[in-house]
Amino acid sequence: MILSVRSVSRLPKFSLSRGWASAASTNYVNIMEVGPRDGLQNEKKAIPPATKIELINKLANAGLTRIEAGSFVSPKWIPQMAGTVEVITQVEHLPGVRYPVLVPNVKGLENLLSVLSEHSTSSSPPPTDEVAVFIAATDAFSKANTNCTIVESLERTNQVVRLALEKGLRVRGYLSVVIACPYSGPVDYRKVRDLTKELLDMGCYEVSLGDTTGVGNPHSISEMLNTVISTNSVGKLAGHFHDTYGMGVANVMTALAAGIRTIDSSVGGLGGCPYSPGATGNVATEDVLYALKGSPYTASGDLNKIANIGMWISNEVGRENSSRVGKALHARKLRQENLREKENQKAKL
């Protein structure tokens, strides 16, 4: 049952820091690692919380500082997100690392606030201090995803954002299907522009523009961004690109050229979308980091460590690693190990 505003307002208020480390330069790229949530939510194999915790800890220790840790959505709808409470309360919580979670409605937010309340007297950091909300750019996708229209979704989301801000939580917004909808076709970029403004006006500090179906290419991404940026600050936008047609990295570079400085990516190219048939995973974190090498842009994260994590989690969930860079680095690592083994054998003769 959806809670009333009055019932949630009686929950304890948290004193969570809302500070944000500014980028070292205007060419610093913030990586939002979405593998543990958006990446795993479409996997068929059941993934125990212990594996998710290990994944998040590995990513944080590899230098990533924004890691989406889970979702307070009903396991009935997204079974892979079961165990999010266990995950966010048991990860290492390294200094300077944020662990946002997705909340689809007030009920999800209430569940999170209950968890935070239980840990409010602890000397350790809170399980999280940031939530993400989401809407879609078409009624068809909104109805498939949340069983409501865009207007109804905005009303629900506004309630969640207002209550989250009241409790001292940062709020990030997702806007899905900004290029094309799997049910209704091409999207009007002016609608994307206006809905982005709606989310920012609610109080979202950032809106992630999602090419959920992965059909975008540099031309369409550029056209969409030009329209959105015409009335919204580019500094409050992020790019979220699926790699269905192999355009993920190209679209990332297009977004950076347009002034975007936050990119969502997923280790090993994990991902998909339960409500977007045929959509493959998010652009791989390894591929993004490799693309930035030698460019004017910089980002946090140890490429080799993250590539190893991509191979590990792909094996854990029983899927092929979708990162081209990850597979190339793994092959090079195996060649080097074979050469060392041969040299050792020669030395023993």
Side-chain angles (χ1 to χ4, degrees):
M1 182 178 68
I2 301 297
L3 291 183
S4 67
V5 174
R6 181 178 300 176
S7 65
V8 178
S9 66
R10 290 197 297 266
L11 290 168
K13 194 164 186 175
F14 303 100
S15 178
L16 301 180
S17 172
R18 300 176 68 179
W20 182 252
S22 60
S25 73
T26 57
N27 284 334
Y28 180 83
V29 179
N30 293 293
I31 299 293
M32 172 64 83
E33 172 59 54
V34 299
R37 196 280 299 177
D38 194 27
L40 295 181
Q41 71 175 9
N42 206 40
E43 294 297 325
K44 295 180 180 179
K45 180 181 176 181
I47 304 166
T51 300
K52 299 176 190 175
I53 292 168
E54 185 174 0
L55 171 61
I56 293 169
N57 288 341
K58 285 177 179 288
L59 291 168
N61 281 289
L64 297 179
T65 59
R66 299 174 69 180
I67 305 170
E68 197 172 42
S71 174
F72 278 76
V73 65
S74 171
K76 174 183 176 182
W77 301 111
I78 309 291
Q80 293 296 8
M81 289 299 99
T84 292
V85 172
E86 185 177 347
V87 171
I88 66 171
T89 55
Q90 294 186 22
V91 294
E92 290 180 18
H93 287 98
L94 297 183
V97 180
R98 310 190 83 95
Y99 303 88
V101 294
L102 193 74
V103 290
N105 48 40
V106 174
K107 178 62 176 177
L109 179 59
E110 181 211 20
N111 291 338
L112 171 61
L113 292 173
S114 178
V115 173
L116 295 179
S117 178
E118 293 174 1
H119 291 79
S120 61
T121 59
S122 171
S123 59
S124 59
T128 187
D129 63 356
E130 181 175 322
V131 298
V133 296
F134 60 92
I135 63 172
T138 69
D139 279 320
F141 194 86
S142 184
K143 289 176 181 177
N145 196 13
T146 58
N147 195 33
C148 67
T149 65
I150 292 175
V151 172
E152 292 167 334
S153 179
L154 285 170
E155 292 174 353
R156 295 180 186 180
T157 301
N158 187 44
Q159 187 181 27
V160 174
V161 172
R162 185 172 68 251
L163 294 171
L165 293 174
E166 178 186 320
K167 297 302 177 181
L169 298 170
R170 292 165 49 85
V171 184
R172 187 177 196 247
Y174 280 107
L175 180 55
S176 300
V177 294
V178 299
I179 300 295
C181 173
Y183 308 108
S184 58
V187 173
D188 184 345
Y189 300 151
R190 293 171 298 179
K191 188 70 172 178
V192 176
R193 175 197 64 197
D194 296 343
L195 289 171
T196 297
K197 187 175 188 302
E198 292 267 10
L199 287 170
L200 292 174
D201 288 347
M202 284 182 197
C204 293
Y205 75 86
E206 181 176 82
V207 174
S208 177
L209 303 170
D211 179 18
T212 312
T213 58
V215 301
N217 61 26
H219 173 75
S220 58
I221 294 297
S222 179
E223 188 176 354
M224 180 272 295
L225 288 176
N226 285 338
T227 302
V228 174
I229 292 169
S230 66
T231 56
N232 296 286
S233 170
V234 69
K236 294 184 177 182
L237 305 178
H240 184 108
F241 307 114
H242 285 239
D243 205 28
T244 310
Y245 289 86
M247 293 288 103
V249 169
N251 291 340
V252 165
M253 301 309 292
T254 299
L256 295 179
I260 300 290
R261 289 297 179 268
T262 300
I263 297 296
D264 297 357
S265 63
S266 178
V267 64
L270 293 171
C273 178
Y275 303 99
S276 180
T280 57
N282 300 279
V283 63
T285 305
E286 304 94 306
D287 295 0
V288 172
L289 291 176
Y290 187 84
L292 298 183
K293 291 182 64 175
S295 77
Y297 308 107
T298 60
S300 298
D302 186 305
L303 175 58
N304 287 317
K305 288 182 179 180
I306 294 171
N308 289 337
I309 297 169
M311 293 302 301
W312 167 78
I313 190 59
S314 295
N315 289 332
E316 286 291 312
V317 301
R319 73 192 299 273
E320 182 181 357
N321 188 345
S322 295
S323 167
R324 293 172 175 81
V325 171
K327 288 187 287 189
L329 291 177
H330 182 66
R332 185 175 71 180
K333 179 181 177 182
L334 292 179
R335 288 196 299 270
Q336 292 173 340
E337 290 176 351
N338 288 335
L339 287 173
R340 283 195 295 268
E341 180 62 25
K342 290 179 179 179
E343 291 173 356
N344 289 337
Q345 291 178 351
K346 287 181 180 180
K348 293 179 181 178
L349 295 178

